Amino acid sequence: LIDPVAVADVRIPSASIGYRLQVERAVADNFGLDGSPARLAAKLHAESAWRGNAQSPYANGIAQFTPATAKWLPTVCPDVGLPDPWDADWSIRAAACYDSWLHDRVRGATECDRWAKTQAAYNGGLSWIERDERLAASNGVDPLVWFGGVELHTARAAWARKENRAYPRKILLVLEPAYIAAGWSGTAVCR
């Protein structure tokens, strides 16, 4: 699954160095010492290219939280404190905690499948993953398999499908391996 050519083409932004310790702490706090800082680094790279002032039409900050998600997140991750997506430290801790919360709620045939669902849920919402699993199952596809399985079944709009399905691929199959190759700790969950 990993695309070595795409991995080799990734340029790690120098800004990532300034956040490395925060990423490592947030991952350890939520996943223990077996967590992958490279995976969270990959997410932040995909979301904002490590720009704390990143803004899209729907989301803000280094981890690109929508206002609604930022407001809701402390209800399931109270340790992150009051929502402030413009604060990179808050956003990094919140992204790690949200990944943990999502990961606890999805199932996969493998950890790769489970993490792909976690990433897709971060990008587009857990309820969509649950709907997509039901749709895949109704079409005779194993709802525990993401790549080549659930990822091919959704009722989302074409633009949302394209963005949401590319997101786990980019993080898990390109960016996480690139961060590991650049010396960030972690183990690629997909191979």
Side-chain angles (χ1 to χ4, degrees), residues 121 124-132 134 156:
L126 181 59
S127 63
W128 272 107
I129 299 305
E130 294 164 347
R131 284 182 237 170
D132 295 346
R134 289 191 298 272
R156 295 174 191 222

Side-chain angles (χ1 to χ4, degrees), residues 111-168:
E111 271 301 293
C112 177
D113 293 311
R114 191 171 175 198
W115 272 104
K117 288 181 182 183
T118 299
Q119 302 302 334
Y122 184 99
N123 175 264
L126 181 59
S127 63
W128 272 107
I129 299 305
E130 294 164 347
R131 284 182 237 170
D132 295 346
E133 288 173 331
R134 289 191 298 272
L135 181 59
S138 73
N139 284 293
V141 173
D142 185 346
L144 296 176
V145 175
W146 179 260
F147 292 113
V150 175
E151 78 169 330
L152 303 177
H153 298 271
T154 190
R156 295 174 191 222
W159 70 267
R161 172 188 293 195
K162 182 178 177 182
E163 176 185 321
N164 186 259
R165 292 337 198 221
Y167 189 79

